[in-house]
Amino acid sequence: MSELNINDAVLTTRLDAVVNWGRKNSLWPMPFGVACCAIEFMSMMSSKYDLARFGAEAMRFSPRQSDMMLVLGTITNKMAPVLRTIYAQMAEPKWVISVGVCASSGGMYRTYATLQGIDRVIPVDVYVPGCPPRPESMIYGVMKLQEKIEKESLSMRKDHIARFYESLAQQEAYEAAKGVTAQQAIREMLADAAERGAGTIF
Ligand code: SF4
């Protein structure tokens, strides 16, 4: 029997599989922390919970150096354009985790000033329930995102992000045409979307 030489071995795989394996194990988180959920996030990053076990310890406060945004807290309508700008500036491909009920649905703040869910203005990949969610729940959210990344095709993510950029261009056109602020443009785009029966502007 001839001996198997490891140098002659050939490994075959799909490009999507190998790229997604790299992506899911090297997520760089960016906390968009505006309220109490951000405190739980600090806990998740600490040595006790240790997000480094999932390859996601390289936390950055610069959108250009991160690809996983965690929205932690109540987002007001005034903050919505900022959230969209930060998301637009993040490195591609990028993913979003909505942490806690405030970010996911406005939570207890059922008021005209609070955005009733960030998924109205940016694409969300995973929702973590709770008020606040425990660090374990956030870690579970990161694990669910890893599962999602593992299954998606490269072109799917690209199209997903492209739709957001189209809506950003529409928003800027709206601002220029009507002479309104970004906040007003988003509010009117949401109202138009609601008339069409859509819950989001992208
Ligand atoms: S979900 Fe609860 S803990 Fe999180 S920001 Fe809202 S009020 Fe604070």
Side-chain angles (χ1 to χ4, degrees), residues 1-5:
M1 197 169 72
S2 64
E3 275 184 28
L4 176 67
N5 183 347

Side-chain angles (χ1 to χ4, degrees), residues 14-63:
R14 286 183 302 114
L15 180 64
D16 282 8
V18 74
V19 171
N20 285 341
W21 176 82
R23 285 179 174 178
K24 77 170 190 158
N25 290 305
S26 60
L27 291 164
W28 287 34
M30 200 208 72
F32 194 95
V34 287
C36 10
C37 274
I39 308 298
E40 295 294 314
F41 172 78
M42 292 173 207
S43 209
M44 177 177 77
M45 298 304 290
S46 70
S47 54
K48 181 169 178 187
Y49 294 99
D50 193 13
L51 201 63
R53 292 175 294 148
F54 302 88
E57 75 276 28
M59 182 163 60
R60 292 291 180 270
F61 291 92
S62 160

Side-chain angles (χ1 to χ4, degrees), residues 37 40-41 72 98-101 128-138:
C37 274
E40 295 294 314
F41 172 78
L72 308 140
S98 174
V99 179
V101 292
V128 180
C131 174
R134 295 243 343 134
E136 292 93 334
S137 308
M138 290 191 204

